[in-house]
Amino acid sequence: MAKASGGVGNEPWRVLEFYSGIGGMRYALMKSGVNAEVVEAFEINDRANDVYEHNFGHRPFQGNIQSLTPTDLDGYGADAWLLSPPCQPYTRQGLQKDTGDARAFSFLQILELMPLLKHPPSMLFVENVVGFETSDTHATMLEMLEKTNFITQEFILSPLQFGIPYSRPRYFCLAKRRPSSSVKERWNNMLIQSPRPLFEIEDTVPDEDVSSRKDWDMLLPSCQPIEQFLELKNPSNGTDVESASLDTDLPRDLKHNGEVLNKASLDQYFVPLSLIERWGSAMDIVYSDSKRCCCFTKSYYRYVKGTGSLLATVQLDKKDKTSLKELRLRYFTPREVANLHSFPEDFQFPQHINLRQRYALLGNSLSIAVVAPLLRYLFTDPS
Ligand SMILES: C[S@@+](CC[C@H](N)C(=O)[O-])C[C@H]1O[C@@H](n2cnc3c(N)ncnc32)[C@H](O)[C@@H]1O
């Protein structure tokens, strides 16, 4: 029977977490149920390390991953490396400088160390943005993995395919070093855009085309409504809108963990009218009963266009020709973004991390609902 119980003699798998940020990968590993221990995490950003330490009680190795040597890496005796390198070199909004972008260097460097290791990992997991799969860095990665005897399966998956009303398609590479084999060999060397292999018991012949992207809108009816991810609950109806002065009066009964928030705490989440006037047409607006919202990036709250959805706090009849101002748009709170990333309830930011920093760190993180089953699949022993 397939199992994901642990390494040699059922000792926990020894795992290195590169680019650990606020620990999304570690939470996903915990959620996966795999018997594994993060023996070290590596992250250059101070604030991210504060958050990581606050939640896990361990401060990641704070330095440039590029400076790690084969001796350093061999010293950890790790079975698996989990990596979520910076995505800016490959994002559609970025300049797509790819291998020419300094932010890609550390990832390329660490791949180049692989043939020099006395104790290379037997498993590797890489997360990145869609677009990475056509990059030069990706081509170099596959070349290095091939050279060091790894077999790969690649995925592009979104939380929408896991019942979460959140569109965040991401690229994932799962690699196992021979003689370890993949769980289901027939998917080797494929780019898979369906979660089906993760949940199949047998290695059966696929009867659906998993190599082309399905229309993800078809999945929406099976997603939970956004309301279930909100900590600030909307007023029960929008009838107070007409009597309110749009500039100053905000819905009074928004609640936070059951308590009515004071106006100052609430105000910071409402979108200023000046922004609505200027950027309204570019805003992605969702309602509490919507079953989809857009990817939150690290620029959410700093910029409006393409950085994540805004929530209408007033549920008017959508057929009405409502002006955007009447919808009382607000930002999702950091906790709500964390909920959509499927972070556990006990995840917290330390007090000194300000609102913008919270959004930036969350925007860099990942969907635990997607990564946990992928990790379980990677660590599962087919024998
Ligand atoms: C895409 S984010 C990964 C976030 C992480 N998975 C999480 O759950 O928060 C990339 C991270 O790599 C860090 N980073 C970028 N270049 C680095 C380097 N050369 N050495 C160490 N960390 C680096 C960034 O500070 C950022 O936190």
Side-chain angles (χ1 to χ4, degrees), residues 5-177:
S5 48
V8 182
N10 266 353
E11 289 291 305
W13 295 108
R14 295 175 63 80
V15 172
L16 290 180
E17 185 185 10
F18 295 89
Y19 311 98
S20 50
I22 55 174
M25 200 71 97
R26 182 159 173 171
Y27 278 126
L29 187 63
M30 287 160 66
K31 175 111 199 281
S32 72
V34 169
N35 181 15
E37 172 195 4
V38 174
V39 291
E40 191 50 283
F42 304 92
E43 168 61 55
I44 206 165
N45 181 307
D46 239 339
R47 283 190 294 272
N49 286 339
D50 289 349
V51 181
Y52 192 102
E53 187 177 8
H54 185 78
N55 287 287
F56 297 111
H58 170 79
R59 191 166 189 87
F61 177 90
Q62 183 146 350
N64 193 334
I65 286 169
Q66 219 172 310
S67 62
L68 293 169
T69 65
T71 317
D72 294 333
L73 293 168
D74 274 329
Y76 294 108
D79 302 300
W81 289 6
L82 313 181
L83 310 100
S84 44
C87 52
Q88 293 91 341
Y90 324 102
T91 46
R92 275 166 288 192
Q93 284 111 324
L95 296 174
Q96 294 188 313
K97 287 202 288 188
D98 199 341
T99 44
D101 190 313
R103 288 168 294 199
F105 292 168
S106 62
F107 181 58
L108 291 170
Q109 163 87 18
I110 203 129
L111 293 178
E112 277 168 21
L113 295 185
M114 195 75 87
L116 310 175
L117 298 181
K118 292 200 186 83
H119 187 108
S122 52
M123 288 172 274
L124 205 89
F125 181 87
V126 179
E127 183 253 5
N128 217 278
V129 286
V130 175
F132 177 80
E133 74 284 4
T134 55
S135 68
D136 293 345
T137 306
H138 172 260
T140 310
M141 177 185 85
L142 288 193
E143 222 173 87
M144 297 304 297
L145 291 177
E146 173 80 55
K147 223 197 275 180
T148 42
N149 224 6
F150 278 90
I151 38 170
T152 57
Q153 294 184 8
E154 298 173 283
F155 288 82
I156 290 180
L157 295 175
S158 170
L160 286 174
Q161 293 164 296
F162 295 80
I164 311 293
Y166 185 35
S167 173
R168 190 181 178 91
R170 284 293 180 269
Y171 163 88
F172 304 95
C173 176
L174 284 63
K176 274 191 170 175
R177 192 158 52 84

